[in-house]
Amino acid sequence: MKIINNKLLLCASIALLATHAHAAAAWKPDKPIEIIVGTGPGGGQDKSARTLNRILVDKRLVDQPVSVVNKPGGGGAVGWTYLNQHAGEGNIIYVGNPTLLTNHIVGRSPINYTHVTPLAILLSESVAISVLPESPLKTGKDLLVRLKKDSSSVSVAVGSSLGSTNHIAIALIAKAVGGDAKKLRTVVFQGGGEAITALLGGHIDVNSSAANNVVPHIEAGKLRVLGVAAPKRLGGALAAVPTWQEQGVNALVTNWRMVAGPKGVTPAQIAYWDGVLAKLVQTAEWKKDLETNLFENTYLGSAATERYMQAEYDKFRAALAELGMAKQ
């Protein structure tokens, strides 16, 4: 009888563990979902977050209400800090970009990818260098000549921090032609939308931003693009714009959009977002958005994203060290 009871106890224990495992695997948010953006409205991260929001709701990929919450400041640091104030809460995610890495490399933020929970790489985008139609900088060559002669004579708008991929792109262009990237008059804005507004207002000579941010203004005849820091020409409104490599400058910078959760997120919560985001990137609406905005589909799940973050961190650190910006 004792042996039978022990066997029954063992079976009951196994059943209980299986029940708990199933409950953990079936985790899903039980309260509204927040998508945090560390910039103001209108920039690339904000647009991606709102597209994410719309598709999650329209396709019923989640069972809770979804909202985008803008937390601008500190080149994204304010948003990342807010995220980690909700440690372990799987209903709060952040749509970010490489400033998570570059801000840490230059010592502007203590938060690195190791301090949050990488969930996905959603897409990649290229950096475009744009000017007003009436700018004396008519071609990419005009800008290269100016940068070489006197880098301090060019004011550049970037969002959302020094050391961002937008800043790295223009700095690499200046350095490639013998200019002094440190002398660029770089003006930082809370996001790409504000940076473009400054250019449209005539307050800045050049804007370095995500290519998709300038497309509406190109189509409206309000901006011109001198070059894109991409491996090949983009399509759509930018199909005729040469890459910087075509213009003799080795300036290739890949921007990307990631999703992260706060620290302390559980394996079950990670699995939930892996499933949701894998479905999202297969929707026709998401693919259409990629095409419209000249994005590249570079989706990675959580495990691959964490490995990718390490590789990107090493790459950006090398670039920023060369520009004299990496902390010791």
Side-chain angles (χ1 to χ4, degrees):
M1 180 66 69
K2 185 175 181 180
I3 294 176
I4 294 175
N5 287 341
N6 285 343
K7 287 183 177 179
L8 290 173
L9 181 61
L10 178 60
C11 290
S13 298
I14 292 173
L16 182 62
L17 288 172
T19 300
H20 286 169
H22 175 75
W27 180 92
K28 61 181 181 179
D30 58 1
K31 52 186 175 181
I33 294 168
E34 291 185 19
I35 303 177
I36 309 303
V37 181
T39 66
Q45 295 173 75
D46 180 71
K47 290 178 181 177
S48 291
R50 294 181 188 280
T51 299
L52 186 67
N53 184 346
R54 175 173 53 81
I55 296 176
L56 287 176
V57 173
D58 289 352
K59 291 300 180 180
R60 299 182 180 180
L61 298 177
V62 296
D63 297 328
Q64 293 290 334
V66 185
S67 62
V68 174
V69 180
N70 294 90
K71 294 286 183 179
V78 172
W80 289 113
T81 299
Y82 174 83
L83 179 74
N84 269 347
Q85 289 171 349
H86 299 271
E89 295 188 28
N91 65 301
I92 300 181
I93 58 176
Y94 189 112
V95 172
N97 68 5
T99 56
L100 171 64
L101 310 183
T102 57
N103 279 348
H104 185 264
I105 292 168
V106 302
R108 186 173 295 108
S109 170
I111 301 175
N112 193 13
Y113 75 95
T114 56
H115 303 124
V116 296
T117 306
L119 295 174
I121 294 292
L122 292 177
L123 57 90
S124 295
E125 61 182 348
S126 299
V127 177
I129 306 299
S130 57
V131 296
L132 292 174
E134 62 271 20
S135 169
L137 302 172
K138 300 301 181 183
T139 66
K141 183 178 179 180
D142 291 338
L143 176 60
L144 298 178
V145 170
R146 176 88 68 85
L147 290 172
K148 181 177 182 179
K149 182 178 180 180
D150 182 9
S151 297
S152 66
S153 69
V154 181
S155 59
V156 184
V158 301
S160 54
S161 67
L162 291 176
S164 66
T165 50
N166 294 330
H167 183 211
I168 289 174
I170 190 67
L172 289 177
I173 292 168
K175 184 177 184 298
V177 294
D180 189 343
K182 297 178 184 178
K183 291 184 178 179
L184 283 168
R185 289 188 288 125
T186 307
V187 183
V188 180
F189 294 87
Q190 294 289 356
E194 289 185 16
I196 289 179
T197 298
L199 177 62
L200 292 171
H203 307 297
I204 297 292
D205 298 325
V206 173
N207 177 59
S208 180
S209 71
N212 77 297
N213 280 351
V214 304
V215 168
H217 306 289
I218 298 297
E219 294 175 336
K222 294 180 179 180
L223 291 180
R224 286 190 293 107
V225 176
L226 302 179
V228 291
K232 61 181 181 180
R233 290 197 183 195
L234 305 178
L238 300 182
V241 177
T243 68
W244 287 107
Q245 288 182 325
E246 288 181 73
Q247 301 179 73
V249 175
N250 186 22
L252 179 60
V253 179
T254 300
N255 203 348
W256 36 259
R257 205 81 75 243
M258 76 174 298
V259 176
K263 60 186 177 182
V265 170
T266 67
Q269 291 168 330
I270 293 173
Y272 171 83
W273 284 111
D274 265 336
V276 167
L277 296 174
K279 291 177 182 177
L280 180 137
V281 299
Q282 292 301 318
T283 63
E285 290 81 357
W286 181 258
K287 292 177 180 179
K288 179 63 176 178
D289 188 71
L290 295 182
E291 179 183 353
T292 301
N293 291 291
L294 308 180
F295 294 148
E296 183 182 355
N297 179 12
T298 53
Y299 172 74
L300 297 174
S302 59
T305 296
E306 188 163 2
R307 295 191 295 270
Y308 184 72
M309 288 294 100
Q310 178 62 63
E312 287 289 276
Y313 187 90
D314 293 343
K315 182 180 74 175
F316 286 132
R317 181 170 180 80
L320 290 168
E322 190 174 353
L323 294 171
M325 295 185 64
K327 66 180 181 180
Q328 299 300 319

